[in-house]
Amino acid sequence: MNVLQKLVSTGAKTLPRNGLMRHSSHFVYQPDAKAPVEGPTQKMNMFQAINQAMDIALEQNESALVFGEDVAFGGVFRCSMGLQKKYGKQRVFNTPLCEQGIAGFAIGVANTGAKAIAEMQFADYIFPAFDQIVNEAAKYRYRSGNLYDCGSLTFRAPCGAVGHGACYHSQSPEAYFAHTPGLKVVVPRGPNKAKGLLLACVKDNDPCIVFEPKTLYRAAVEEVPVAAFESPIGKADILRSGTDITLVGWGTQIHVLQEVANMAKTQLDVSCEVIDLVSILPWDKETICNSVKKTGRVLIAHEAPLTNGFGAELAATIQEECFLHLESPVLRVTGWDTPFPHVFEPFYIPDKHRCLAGIRKLINY
């Protein structure tokens, strides 16, 4: 009897250190310290918070529509579960497996004034819709001389590492869209941010993309306000104050950085300021630069590849705005410039060990 058979027969839930299974989670989830608004709360994971946000949007706006591949039965991540039953097939419905068509339809209904919430089943599959989003949705207001716009258009897309997604279910494509004036791009770190950002995007006057780290759908659990609320687009969150080094990330990576901040304090006696960028486009230059001017050192971490990742934009701006305050070069700890691997994912992601090594490098510079 091999080790897996023994586990099944004994009902064991984890393997010994010399077993065959590897753990997919490279982070320890850090819930928000308090709810974003006052009032009754409910314990939710991230997909439940997203579900509630769409429920609120559908309830508050008779024109609101939710659509995408498999959303009618709840979607592959269950984010739209129960919504078709509550609001009907005319407002929550499946689409063909055609991302370009999903985006084109979303642009059309948004131009009529409807609140369009379109799901791309995986962010990796958003690229067939790239032309529609970048050349149509983002430019509609400008091209029409403000006669028409694609406000009230929101794309949801699960993104990032999940432990077993390989090259077609693990990518983080936020930097592609950050190069496009007319779009807004956000990445939540947990249930409260996911709900607040989604509701803010639904009400925004520009087309928005919400990249949702799929590994957080169930791993992230918080007390979430039951009432509707919005999280500001374009505003970063300082999650931990510090004096020696600024750590910047977004999405799942922010939980890695919070753990790294604890490690740096314990092992190196280094005080880290941890900032969740939250919004990729527009991004909060003031908060980032003020922090770097205070600490003199900055480490930027993201799962996307190094070259032309959005960390490069942060690094360039910090160099321009904070040069005389820097005690060391800006450092990026990111995914590698390779396709996202399957079995080698643990070596690809910017985990706590790589980030802590980066802090040592900056402090010793």
Side-chain angles (χ1 to χ4, degrees), residues 122-127 157-162 165-174 176 211-214 303-305 338-341 345 348:
F122 288 89
D124 313 62
Y125 299 155
I126 202 170
F127 298 113
C159 70
V162 71
C167 57
Y168 291 130
H169 296 83
S170 303
Q171 296 177 77
S172 298
E174 64 272 6
Y176 290 99
F211 285 114
E212 301 165 358
K214 68 180 79 70
E303 290 183 12
T338 69
F340 202 104
E345 178 180 305
Y348 181 91

Side-chain angles (χ1 to χ4, degrees), residues 219-236:
V221 179
E222 290 175 337
E223 290 291 331
V224 180
V226 176
F229 66 93
E230 298 174 29
S231 295
I233 299 172
K235 180 62 178 174

Side-chain angles (χ1 to χ4, degrees), residues 57-294:
L58 288 162
E59 184 178 41
Q60 290 182 343
N61 305 277
E62 292 185 358
S63 70
L65 304 173
V66 172
F67 51 91
E69 298 163 7
D70 299 321
V71 301
F73 78 87
V76 294
F77 294 106
R78 318 308 290 157
C79 291
S80 56
M81 191 165 54
L83 296 181
Q84 187 184 77
K85 183 177 181 180
K86 185 173 181 179
Y87 295 100
K89 296 181 180 180
Q90 300 300 313
R91 300 184 65 195
V92 180
F93 49 87
N94 290 336
T95 65
L97 304 181
C98 177
E99 285 76 17
Q100 186 176 19
I102 294 170
F105 176 79
I107 292 167
V109 295
N111 269 280
T112 69
K115 302 283 187 182
I117 305 174
E119 178 182 300
M120 298 291 170
Q121 196 169 83
F122 288 89
D124 313 62
Y125 299 155
I126 202 170
F127 298 113
F130 193 79
D131 177 63
Q132 288 287 336
I133 297 171
V134 169
N135 278 332
E136 302 296 340
K139 297 175 174 62
Y140 228 103
R141 180 183 287 110
Y142 177 83
R143 191 177 68 172
S144 69
N146 204 32
L147 292 176
Y148 307 99
D149 66 72
C150 286
S152 303
L153 168 57
T154 302
F155 293 102
R156 295 180 42 251
C159 70
V162 71
H164 49 265
C167 57
Y168 291 130
H169 296 83
S170 303
Q171 296 177 77
S172 298
E174 64 272 6
Y176 290 99
F177 296 94
H179 195 63
T180 307
L183 294 179
K184 292 183 178 177
V185 182
V186 297
V187 187
R189 65 175 178 270
N192 278 303
K193 275 295 171 183
K195 179 179 177 178
L197 287 172
L198 182 52
L199 288 174
C201 288
V202 169
K203 290 187 178 181
D204 200 86
N205 291 323
D206 291 305
C208 299
I209 304 176
V210 184
F211 285 114
E212 301 165 358
K214 68 180 79 70
T215 194
L216 297 180
Y217 278 136
R218 287 170 174 79
V221 179
E222 290 175 337
E223 290 291 331
V224 180
V226 176
F229 66 93
E230 298 174 29
S231 295
I233 299 172
K235 180 62 178 174
D237 291 338
I238 300 175
L239 302 180
R240 176 176 179 146
S241 296
T243 57
D244 298 326
I245 185 169
T246 300
L247 308 181
V248 183
W250 49 90
T252 307
Q253 194 62 30
I254 205 65
H255 303 293
V256 176
L257 293 179
Q258 291 194 81
E259 185 177 2
V260 169
N262 290 331
M263 296 167 64
K265 185 62 178 177
T266 302
Q267 299 180 27
L268 308 174
D269 194 27
V270 170
S271 173
C272 299
E273 183 147 292
V274 180
I275 301 179
D276 179 3
L277 192 62
V278 180
S279 180
I280 304 297
L281 187 68
W283 67 278
D284 190 350
K285 297 179 183 178
E286 182 179 3
T287 295
I288 300 299
C289 290
N290 285 344
S291 176
V292 175
K293 288 176 182 178
K294 177 179 70 173

